[in-house]
Amino acid sequence: MKKISILLTICISCFVFIFFSRCMNGNDIVTVDAHYTEPFKKLSQYHFFKGDMKDLTPNDRVLPYDLITPLFSDYALKARFVWMPEGTSAKYVKDEVLDFPVGTVLIKNFYFPTDFRDISKGRKIIETRLLIHKQDKWDALAYVWNDEQTDADLNIIGDTKSLDWIDKNGNKVHDDYSIPNKNQCKTCHAFNGSLTPIGPKVRNMNHDFLYIDGKTNELDKWVAAGYLTGYNKAGNGSNKMAKWDDPTTGDINARARAYLDANCAHCHRKEGMANPTGLYLNFTNHDEASLGILKTPEAAGSGGGDFLYDVIPGKPDESIMPYRMTIDEPGKMMPQIGRKLVHTEGVALIKQWIAGMKDQSAANNN
Amino acid sequence: MKRNVKGLTIALIATIFFSACSNGKKTSDATGFTYSEDFQNKLLEECIMAEDGSTIEIPEGKFLLKKPLSLDGKKHLTIKGAGAGKSLLSFLHQSEGGEGLLVTNCNDITIEGFTIQDAKGNNIKLLNCDTIAIRDMNSTWTSGSDSTNGDYAYYPVQCKHLLMENCEASYSSDAGIYVGQTINVTVRNCYAHDNVAGIEIENCINSDVYKCKAENNTGGILVFDTPGLPLHNGRNARIYDNDCISNNGTNFGKVSSMVSTVPPGTGIIVMGTDSADFYNNRIFYNKTVGIAVIGFQLTGKPYNDSLYGPYCTAISIHDNKFDSKTISVPDMSKDMGKLVALGLKGYKDIIVDGSADPKLRDSKGQVPDDYKICIRNNGDIKFANLNFWQVKGESDITDHVDHDLSKFDCEHTGIGGNASN
């Protein structure tokens, strides 16, 4: 009898301890099972965020990061986080995405400020996209936030959200923002037919990020957090991409190539969905013809308008590349998915690049 | 308080009413097509989540879809309607995506028995698939010959083992049936009409096109090899038992498309290809040229591809029937049409540009037998050789023309097509 009561006491105190430690922590720990067959229906079930979910306050070991030159998605702002299972880390890769361990989750929250001139006026989170490194392959999942901003539901077939905001110039913008369906996720995330992450490459993360405990180089932070191994700062530190809209980070060539890498090269590279086109815009390609210089399109069809070549040096207004970036009609626009609006500033950058291009200058982005 | 409750009730009823409306969004247009968000979402989900080995059924009816359908990474899958003209999918009001139906990375896929129309880009695109059957389909644009029509009615690219049969393709602003960079291709019993190009086989290896009808296109059948693409040097094509009839349609292709240079009135063009056999075709009433055999240089487009061979080699044209009795003057809207009309003084059954890899020519300018263009048993044909290799510029482009068919009196044996059949 005494034994039982001791056992009971231990049990109860365990319970109380667990209960309180959770309470003190404020939340459960991150829950990811790399073997799942059915993914969680709600974003909250992963416990990536603690406190009020819409504040996107990362839970323990959920590490925020960003990219130097990101993909344009109708001016959406993106809050990115990474999580890896305890005791695992990504391996350094020089030019491609880091080699992530099984169980890794890349978390990308898409949100729009009410007023881009003053983000303190509030924001609306639209969707959270997860890339989960399952046992044998990556899986892409999209969670769509509810209007109350309390949680997000798993979405397979995509969705369209009618959004309004005020842009940085004070203009009202309306957008029928498109949330991709599961197959559309893979359209961009395909590498030789398999789904892979795109963003977290060393060259696109090699800059300072303002963490809660101060400004630090992202890669240094990942190393310190145990999330990156094999990174030799002395040897690899200069592997860094320009920020597309910051002239202090690189000349027009460097910034245009960074922009094309982030906005086109997920498809337009030999390993991507646009392989058949022969147009390869990845940062590491230095071949003039496959960069589009005096290249006739494979299947631009009516999307190519009245123009013969992807890029004509010195003639941005006669080049197919910027032309298709200025179209917002499905089937003719580029990229084909992932945007509904025209990225005016991106188009201007590419036009400036082509305008200043003399023959053979495009292949040199160093 | 009571008023509040009443207000709440009204709000609640209003909410239910409106949400019911938006959930069931269902509208019909004048042509009897219906848009239902529920139907669209169900079909989208069925395609995305389909289990290997399953069949996706498209019911009888006329359905508008605003979003593209896609299949990725499936095995042994069939997508099937109640028949072309019975199950119709329209993408007239498509709001996103380049295709109507996009099929990627699949193995053993059957697409059959429905009509697909009015996609903003291509109606059906297949990329990186192996073992494909597309049959009993109709793919079209419904607003006539319009340059804003989508590009390809069928667009299999970088695939292997493709069979297309009993398919109709029309009003594409590029090619109706476009097979690109694909290995082992059969296109048979298909009907391509009123497109810019009817059937185009581009940079493919081992292709058979037979018992097809290409009618009222700008150009009927094109076998092209073009530069700058990952699959280089298309070869081994057999084009036989086809009807290429009255391909005199206006060229409504955009300048950026390769086919925009095709002159109206073209039966068949073979360009840059190695090893192709054209026989037993009926090539009737095309007002500019029956069959043209040309190198890529004739397009006047520069290219930047060291692995590319721009010349036609080992081409055989035999036992075809030509009829130009009822046709009028050649088309003048494109450079090649003008060349035929003015330089060659009218329609020709067969035109060769006479170009060949300079490395192959001997001191007299002759090409070894194995690499020649061979033309035999086509009846009493109107023939012209441009001898383009001797042309220096635009001024002397017609100065080297001859009509001597005897140099081409030879035959190639054993040109293979799709050996996998």
Side-chain angles (χ1 to χ4, degrees), chain A residues 68-69 207 240-252 254-255 258:
Chain A
I68 298 171
T69 292
H207 74 154
K240 181 175 181 176
M241 207 152 93
K243 185 168 161 55
W244 71 278
D245 60 347
D246 182 354
T248 66
T249 63
D251 64 13
I252 180 66
R255 285 184 291 122

Side-chain angles (χ1 to χ4, degrees), chain A residues 113-132:
Chain A
T114 315
D115 186 339
F116 276 72
R117 297 168 304 177
D118 180 5
I119 53 170
S120 70
K121 287 184 178 170
R123 69 177 179 190
K124 190 171 185 190
I125 310 170
I126 306 304
E127 55 166 332
T128 298
R129 299 185 196 167
L130 305 182
L131 282 176
I132 303 182

Side-chain angles (χ1 to χ4, degrees), chain B residues 113-129:
Chain B
F114 58 96
T115 294
I116 186 166
Q117 61 190 48
D118 292 327
K120 298 291 183 195
N122 311 295
N123 276 342
I124 300 176
K125 178 176 177 178
L126 301 103
L127 171 65
N128 192 31
C129 294

Side-chain angles (χ1 to χ4, degrees), chain B residues 78-94:
Chain B
T78 298
I79 178 163
K80 187 179 180 180
K86 288 182 179 161
S87 299
L88 298 94
L89 302 179
S90 167
F91 292 87
L92 190 62
H93 305 301
Q94 188 172 2

Side-chain angles (χ1 to χ4, degrees), chain A residues 70-189:
Chain A
L71 170 74
F72 172 77
S73 313
D74 284 1
Y75 296 97
L77 300 181
K78 301 167 187 179
R80 298 177 179 80
F81 300 87
V82 59
W83 179 88
M84 293 176 218
E86 191 92 51
T88 65
S89 61
K91 290 195 195 80
Y92 168 80
V93 177
K94 183 171 172 283
D95 287 326
E96 298 294 348
V97 165
L98 298 172
D99 182 7
F100 288 99
V102 169
T104 299
V105 188
L106 298 168
I107 305 151
K108 185 153 72 164
N109 305 280
F110 291 65
Y111 65 93
F112 289 86
T114 315
D115 186 339
F116 276 72
R117 297 168 304 177
D118 180 5
I119 53 170
S120 70
K121 287 184 178 170
R123 69 177 179 190
K124 190 171 185 190
I125 310 170
I126 306 304
E127 55 166 332
T128 298
R129 299 185 196 167
L130 305 182
L131 282 176
I132 303 182
H133 195 335
K134 295 182 71 177
Q135 204 63 24
D136 53 344
K137 60 180 181 184
W138 287 89
D139 194 17
L141 303 167
Y143 290 85
V144 180
W145 283 68
N146 59 26
D147 289 341
E148 300 77 33
Q149 301 276 282
T150 54
D151 206 342
D153 291 310
L154 179 66
N155 177 296
I156 301 295
I157 60 168
D159 203 350
T160 305
K161 294 282 179 192
S162 177
L163 303 178
D164 295 281
W165 65 80
I166 296 168
D167 73 11
K168 64 181 194 314
N169 302 318
N171 300 316
K172 284 183 181 173
V173 179
H174 175 80
D175 185 21
D176 290 317
Y177 176 87
S178 198
I179 295 164
N181 71 41
K182 202 173 169 62
N183 285 354
Q184 287 172 324
C185 290
K186 199 180 154 188
T187 304
C188 296
H189 282 276

